[in-house]
Amino acid sequence: MNYEEKITIGPFGIFFTNMNKEMNLPGHSHYAEVMLVYRTIGSTGFPAFAETYATIQKILQELTLRPFRNHTNEAIARSLFSAFVKQDFHSEQWKEKYEGKFTLTELSLRVRGVLDKIGHADGFTTYTV
C-alpha cells in the first residue's frame, strides 16, 4: 500500500510583537499557537516526547524574543517555517535515542486577535506555510 504519513505536533503557545508597515499598523502584540507537521520517512517519524517538545518551545521563544519588523502575519509564519527547516532535527541530536526520520512539511500560525484601536477582529486567524 502506498500512502503518506504525517505527525502534527503542538499547539505551542507563543507571544510575539510585530510592526507592520505594509499595512500601516503600529507595533502591537499577539498571542498565537504554532502547529508543526512532519512527514514520516520510513516506519518511525517525529519523536513526540517531553525532550523534543521542550526543544521546539525553546526555539520558538528564541525566535519571538525581538519584535518582527516590517512583518505581516504571513511573513512571520514564513519566517518561523524557514527557521524550523534549518533545524535539522533528524540529525545526530535525536537519531541515536529515537531513530525517527521525518521532514517538516507545514507550519501553522494561529493568531488570536482581539477588538482594538487598530481594527483587529475578535478571533483566531490561521496562517499556514
Side-chain angles (χ1 to χ4, degrees):
M1 182 176 278
N2 190 10
Y3 53 87
E4 182 175 88
E5 293 179 354
K6 294 182 179 182
I7 296 173
T8 301
I9 62 170
F12 299 97
I14 64 171
F15 184 79
F16 69 89
T17 299
N18 64 322
M19 297 164 195
N20 185 341
K21 288 186 179 180
E22 186 176 327
M23 297 177 69
N24 200 29
L25 298 176
H28 58 283
S29 300
H30 288 286
Y31 164 79
E33 297 173 343
V34 174
M35 301 281 287
L36 300 164
V37 179
Y38 288 95
R39 182 172 59 88
T40 299
I41 301 169
S43 62
T44 306
F46 185 91
F49 291 97
E51 176 185 14
T52 57
Y53 272 45
T55 299
I56 299 288
Q57 290 167 321
K58 181 179 179 214
I59 292 166
L60 286 168
Q61 284 182 324
E62 290 170 359
L63 291 170
T64 56
L65 280 176
R66 293 185 175 84
F68 290 92
R69 299 190 186 283
N70 300 322
H71 274 65
T72 61
N73 289 344
E74 292 89 344
I76 292 169
R78 288 190 298 270
S79 178
L80 295 175
F81 181 84
S82 293
F84 276 95
V85 166
K86 291 176 186 174
Q87 300 290 331
D88 188 15
F89 289 126
H90 54 283
S91 68
E92 301 307 313
Q93 183 178 6
W94 296 324
K95 186 176 181 181
E96 285 184 30
K97 191 170 185 177
Y98 300 116
E99 298 183 16
K101 285 188 137 189
F102 45 89
T103 187
L104 183 67
T105 61
E106 188 174 299
L107 178 142
S108 293
L109 176 67
R110 187 173 182 243
V111 178
R112 179 66 166 105
V114 296
L115 298 175
D116 60 13
K117 66 182 179 183
I118 61 176
H120 284 108
D122 183 20
F124 281 97
T125 303
T126 303
Y127 304 87
T128 303
V129 179

